[in-house]
Amino acid sequence: MIKKSNIEDYKMSNKAKIAKFIYKQNETSKQEICKLLGLSMPTVLQNIKELIETGIVVEVGKYQSTGGRKAKVLSISENIKYSIGVDITNNHISFVLLNLKGNMIKKERIRCRYEDSLDYYETLGRLVDNFIKESNVDIDKILGVGISIPGIVDEDNLILTRSHTLKLSNISLKNFIQFIKYDTCFKNDANSAAYAEITLNNKQCIYLSLSNTVGGAIYMNNSIYMGDNLKSAEFGHIIIRPDGKSCYCGKNGCVDAYCSANVLSQNSDHDLDLFFKELENGNEKYLSIWNEYLDNLAIVVTNLRMVFDCHIILGGYVGGYLENYILDINKSISKYNSFEIDTSYVSAAKYKKEASAVGAGIQFVDNFFDSLI
């Protein structure tokens, strides 16, 4: 016989499981929930009824009939709750507003140079408040604020262990939240961007962040692998050219020295958009730089494929421009990967910008479904 408390736990688990399934599917039916979650129809009906009554789930139409009664389409009620994502960089702060379906409905990027000072943290809190106010969202509907930071983030102890970009080490993350009025969490920027790219599917994948520094994330078994010392996926410091260019880490020949966004933008007055515009215009100088970049990138991608044997997403600042260059990337990869003809395991990131902010904020959406009772 199951004790009452265990029955309640079982009900809570099913409600959270069903709600999160609908969220990840975007649209689904009771029949599909039964089939794919292995739940009985009475269990699904009862939980769907409760989710509709609380306003979390809505019926948005009916599927086309193949004979018999049409199945109702279920979806998440997108405007019942919201979360905020914030991305801290050396020179900017980006803000995004996400609804309960995880969709970005507002974004803003403000130039604000980082400094470890009370004035900066007070400004950050004020900017969060202003962004929410300008979004015309009821503050009671805000689930929380997720903050993405470049560097090694110790989430349990709220410490930024090290950040080359911000030139910090062993800084308390509580500094960032002293003027923020909402629940707050922190994530490394590359992990956040990876989370934004993969959160709506369960694929094993590698996220390669090609920003002003090169980083990444490893997504395995439905979570990001952090490593024993929170230093996993430091792809930027894999050596691909022994005795090659010097890297800021002190070594030579690191991926970062060959595949960061700076490798391209330093040729166009540090304007990455200008670099790709010149490339599109057929500028021979930029084409030569690009071909060399592609060759080095292909070596990195091939090495990652050999180690992990899974999908690889190219993101970061450069990743936002790569959708139109996937064929060129595939050709370069083919020179180094003789084991596979099909290179469809590589794709450009779907988020052109603000992936890190989205990934930081979307964690509160996921947590909302996990905590349903």
Side-chain angles (χ1 to χ4, degrees):
M1 181 175 178
I2 301 175
K3 293 181 180 180
K4 183 177 179 181
S5 61
N6 289 338
I7 292 174
E8 292 301 318
D9 289 343
Y10 180 72
K11 287 176 65 179
M12 286 191 293
S13 174
N14 282 335
K15 185 180 290 186
K17 191 187 300 183
I18 290 169
K20 198 158 190 178
F21 178 82
I22 297 171
Y23 159 61
K24 286 185 174 291
Q25 294 293 110
N26 191 37
E27 292 184 350
T28 187
S29 67
K30 299 182 184 83
Q31 291 80 0
E32 188 174 32
I33 294 170
C34 290
K35 179 180 178 181
L36 296 182
L37 292 185
L39 299 173
S40 68
M41 182 56 78
T43 296
V44 171
L45 289 174
Q46 179 59 35
N47 281 282
I48 291 296
K49 180 175 180 291
E50 293 176 12
L51 288 167
I52 290 176
E53 287 175 350
T54 55
I56 296 170
V57 170
V58 291
E59 295 174 342
V60 294
K62 294 182 178 180
Y63 289 102
Q64 287 188 338
S65 176
T66 56
R69 181 180 296 180
K70 295 180 180 179
K72 293 179 180 178
V73 180
L74 301 171
S75 186
I76 296 299
S77 178
E78 56 188 45
N79 297 322
I80 191 172
K81 293 287 183 181
Y82 300 88
S83 71
I84 307 296
V86 178
D87 181 36
I88 304 288
T89 71
N90 202 34
N91 295 306
H92 297 88
I93 305 176
S94 295
F95 302 88
V96 298
L97 176 69
L98 307 174
N99 62 24
L100 200 56
K101 296 181 78 169
N103 295 330
M104 181 171 61
I105 55 178
K106 179 179 171 62
K107 65 179 180 179
E108 184 176 5
R109 194 178 195 214
I110 295 173
R111 186 166 184 83
C112 182
R113 186 167 182 81
Y114 174 78
E115 59 180 45
D116 182 25
S117 70
L118 193 65
D119 284 346
Y120 178 88
Y121 300 125
E122 187 174 9
T123 297
L124 176 61
R126 185 177 69 252
L127 290 174
V128 169
D129 288 341
N130 290 345
F131 180 73
I132 293 172
K133 182 178 180 181
E134 291 169 3
S135 300
N136 295 316
V137 170
D138 187 341
I139 60 173
D140 292 332
K141 292 184 176 183
I142 301 296
L143 295 169
V145 177
I147 300 180
S148 160
I149 298 182
I152 300 172
V153 177
D154 183 344
E155 298 172 31
D156 294 333
N157 297 305
L158 289 179
I159 294 173
L160 180 61
T161 304
R162 180 172 58 82
S163 173
H164 165 74
T165 302
L166 301 182
K167 296 179 174 57
L168 296 175
S169 60
N170 296 317
I171 291 293
S172 173
L173 293 171
K174 293 179 182 178
N175 293 340
F176 288 83
I177 61 176
Q178 54 189 311
F179 297 103
I180 296 177
K181 307 168 187 174
Y182 307 90
D183 287 344
T184 311
C185 69
F186 296 88
K187 288 287 182 185
N188 162 268
D189 57 347
N191 287 343
S192 294
Y195 198 73
E197 292 290 336
I198 60 181
T199 189
L200 295 180
N201 64 63
N202 295 314
K203 285 183 178 179
Q204 318 274 47
C205 77
I206 298 299
Y207 180 82
L208 181 60
S209 177
L210 305 168
S211 291
N212 287 341
T213 58
V214 176
I218 303 166
Y219 187 78
M220 298 285 171
N221 301 318
N222 299 318
S223 64
I224 291 177
Y225 173 69
M226 302 299 294
D228 291 341
N229 301 293
L230 305 177
K231 297 178 182 178
S232 69
E234 286 283 3
F235 301 137
H237 301 293
I238 295 172
I239 294 175
I240 58 170
R241 304 284 183 184
D243 301 320
K245 297 178 183 178
S246 61
C247 176
Y248 69 83
C249 74
K251 298 190 298 183
N252 291 85
C254 290
V255 170
D256 199 285
Y258 292 89
C259 294
S260 75
N262 289 328
V263 171
L264 303 176
S265 64
Q266 67 185 359
N267 299 283
S268 53
D269 197 26
H270 298 285
D271 185 338
L272 196 59
D273 193 49
L274 176 59
F275 178 90
F276 279 97
K277 284 180 179 176
E278 289 295 325
L279 188 62
E280 290 174 10
N281 291 334
N283 185 308
E284 290 294 330
K285 173 188 172 183
Y286 288 80
L287 183 60
S288 176
I289 295 167
W290 177 239
N291 286 335
E292 182 180 351
Y293 183 91
L294 281 184
D295 191 68
N296 290 313
L297 180 60
I299 293 173
V300 179
V301 170
T302 301
N303 288 341
L304 292 177
R305 178 68 173 179
M306 293 299 103
V307 174
F308 295 101
D309 187 31
C310 65
H311 193 78
I312 299 170
I313 300 172
L314 305 178
Y317 299 158
V318 176
Y321 295 88
L322 295 184
E323 187 175 4
N324 296 329
Y325 297 95
I326 285 297
L327 287 179
D328 293 336
I329 293 170
N330 289 344
K331 289 177 183 177
S332 296
I333 291 171
S334 297
K335 293 189 301 182
Y336 296 103
N337 186 354
S338 59
F339 293 93
E340 298 170 291
I341 297 175
D342 182 8
T343 55
S344 60
Y345 59 82
V346 179
S347 65
K350 67 180 179 181
Y351 286 99
K352 307 306 178 190
K353 293 182 179 179
E354 317 307 355
S356 293
V358 170
I362 212 167
Q363 294 172 88
F364 279 100
V365 176
D366 281 355
N367 293 341
F368 172 81
F369 292 113
D370 288 336
S371 64
L372 285 177
I373 59 175

